Amino acid sequence: MTVAVTGIGVACGLGHGKTAFRKGLYEAPDIFSCLTREGRGPAEGEPPFIGVEMPEPSEVLAPRLARTASFSGRVALSVLQEAWQDGGLDDIDPERIGLVVGGSNLMSREQALAARDYSARLAYVPPRHAHMFLDTDICGLCASTFKIRGFAYSLGAASASGAVALIQAREAIRSGRVDVCIALGALQDLSAYDLHAMRSLGAMGSMRFSEQPGQACRPMDAARDGFIYGEACAALVLCRQDLAAAGKTYGRIAGVGLAVDGARGPEPNSAGQVRAAMTALVEAGLSASDIDYVNGHATGTPAGDDAECETYRTLGLEEARINATKSILGHGLSAAGAIETAAVFIQMKEGLLHPTRNLEKPLDSRFNWVRSEPAVHDIRRALKLSFGFGGMDAALVLEAPDSGGHTS
């Protein structure tokens, strides 16, 4: 059964909605600065954190209900509303619609704020705290606001969560459980605790570029020194191809791969990445030589980018065009795989690849990088890679609507 993508909703530092997203992808403005959202301040004497924060979302809920929802939840509703309308889901039987939310421990900043505000007066903790900080609260918010009555659940795969949500949504359709399934990469709302830990781990970028925040995020560049956090959220509507409205398809998910490489922490593993990619290619009935575009995980961590380049070499992807969406948005963590897949489909529709910011000295000059300017390119078959702490390796093969792809 062929599964198509028929709706997209996005939010990130570029703004809310596909119009702002598309414009920002190609203009690649400098949206990096010191993080200022409450609960992300550094410890006394420590430098601030560099990253990207998004504008406030449009409110879907009435004010009384909005006060009971987390920031991650309110952004999820705004993004889902755009995807729902884009996918034309009002006419679908609600019992044939499912939802998979990718991400875990999504509200840590607001939990830290609650601990600050109520630790000395626990008797005054709001009753809503019992459920609003559970990841499943986003499922509940979405299903109670939109007509989703098939199923809804959340999953965690670290920074691969958004991609794994897409994999699970596709499988739910192919198994016949539902006809439509929404994959939502949720906003990972980091606290100062998380940011300090990531910096101490060496995964997050240092303050080497504190005077020039726009230079800090540099995936696949020789001067990279860690990922730079960026708030993001995306929802993609997956649908049985035969139910998709004529001419209303962004593309297809032709093959998927998911592997675990046996690592507990942040250590990347090229062998696991290759296994995931090969699984996706085999399912799609393709070889690596059929891939003309790669949207990499490309975080900007030294070990991560080195391992990913090794994966490209092993697969033989030297001819494919390659860019890094995180160079523009920052690293959306749980949302990364979903919003970067949305970026693939936007580029597929436009026939134009977005630039890679700060790619001044690529790690391997043999690859066909898209650097400082957009590049005209007709994407037919793309490989999207997404990896997460804990050895999570995910791969998606994405095809253009008219590519005549594999349909088994």
Side-chain angles (χ1 to χ4, degrees):
M1 182 187 296
T2 303
V3 176
V5 173
T6 59
I8 293 175
V10 289
C12 59
L14 296 170
H16 292 267
K18 292 187 297 298
T19 299
F21 187 57
R22 181 207 172 279
K23 183 175 185 289
L25 283 178
Y26 294 120
E27 294 181 358
D30 180 1
I31 56 175
F32 294 83
S33 62
C34 293
L35 300 176
T36 59
R37 202 175 295 282
E38 187 182 17
R40 293 189 185 145
E44 186 176 353
E46 292 288 322
F49 302 103
I50 293 174
V52 178
E53 292 171 330
M54 68 173 66
E56 285 291 313
S58 59
E59 286 296 355
V60 177
L61 298 171
R64 178 181 62 83
L65 292 175
R67 287 193 294 272
T68 70
S70 66
F71 182 57
S72 295
R74 292 189 294 111
V75 172
L77 288 176
S78 176
V79 161
L80 180 53
Q81 182 177 59
E82 181 183 30
W84 187 278
Q85 293 170 350
D86 194 31
L89 299 190
D90 284 336
D91 297 327
I92 303 295
D93 178 358
E95 294 186 6
R96 301 298 297 168
I97 301 175
L99 170 69
V100 183
V101 175
S104 56
N105 304 313
L106 296 168
M107 279 75 78
S108 60
R109 182 184 64 89
E110 295 200 33
Q111 286 180 306
L113 291 174
R116 179 199 68 185
D117 294 342
Y118 296 104
S119 60
R121 48 191 191 116
L122 290 176
Y124 293 93
V125 173
R128 64 178 180 272
H129 189 96
H131 67 83
M132 71 177 288
F133 293 110
L134 295 173
D135 296 329
T136 51
D137 191 54
I138 293 180
C139 297
L141 279 170
C142 292
S144 63
T145 305
F146 298 92
K147 294 179 180 178
I148 300 169
R149 298 295 182 270
F151 64 81
Y153 64 86
S154 63
L155 59 83
S159 295
S161 294
V164 177
L166 285 160
I167 291 172
Q168 292 300 308
R170 177 178 180 266
E171 292 308 305
I173 294 171
R174 286 165 62 90
S175 70
R177 291 167 60 200
V178 289
D179 298 322
V180 173
C181 194
I182 302 153
L184 189 145
L187 188 154
Q188 188 103 44
D189 193 1
L190 295 188
S191 70
Y193 297 109
D194 307 312
L195 293 164
H196 274 288
M198 290 288 191
R199 181 186 281 173
S200 298
L201 185 66
M204 197 170 70
S206 70
M207 291 306 294
R208 180 169 21 132
F209 297 98
S210 59
E211 300 302 316
Q212 295 178 297
Q215 297 291 313
C217 191
R218 40 197 329 114
M220 296 298 178
D221 184 75
R224 75 215 181 282
D225 75 344
F227 80 82
I228 302 298
Y229 170 65
E231 292 181 341
C233 183
L236 290 87
V237 176
L238 279 61
C239 178
R240 282 173 40 191
Q241 179 74 62
D242 60 306
L243 295 180
K248 190 61 179 67
T249 299
Y250 288 96
R252 296 186 293 270
I253 301 179
V256 302
L258 184 60
V260 61
D261 59 41
R264 177 192 176 194
E267 302 84 6
N269 182 287
S270 179
Q273 297 170 13
V274 170
R275 280 197 298 122
M278 289 302 300
T279 300
L281 288 165
V282 168
E283 186 185 15
L286 302 173
S287 65
S289 62
D290 296 311
I291 298 297
D292 58 77
Y293 166 67
V294 177
N295 186 285
H297 187 57
T299 60
T301 61
D305 286 2
D306 286 345
E308 191 166 338
C309 279
E310 180 62 26
T311 296
Y312 297 166
R313 286 188 288 269
T314 302
L315 293 170
L317 293 169
E318 285 84 359
E319 298 301 318
R321 300 309 310 266
I322 306 174
N323 61 9
T325 302
K326 289 181 181 70
S327 71
I328 300 171
L329 309 180
H331 191 345
L333 302 179
S334 58
I339 199 164
E340 290 162 15
T341 298
V344 174
F345 285 120
I346 295 295
Q347 293 172 96
M348 192 177 281
K349 181 178 180 181
E350 298 293 331
L352 187 67
L353 303 181
H354 70 67
T356 304
R357 296 185 76 254
N358 299 324
L359 187 55
E360 297 169 357
K361 188 178 179 181
L363 291 179
D364 191 329
S365 60
R366 290 173 293 179
F367 293 114
N368 199 359
W369 306 103
V370 184
R371 297 180 65 175
S372 61
E373 297 293 334
V376 175
H377 181 70
D378 186 21
I379 302 174
R380 311 308 299 157
R381 296 179 176 91
L383 179 64
K384 170 69 200 124
L385 299 173
S386 196
F387 314 129
F389 286 4
M392 311 296 176
D393 301 315
L396 308 171
V397 173
L398 310 173
E399 291 186 331
D402 56 349
S403 64
H406 187 62
T407 59
S408 66

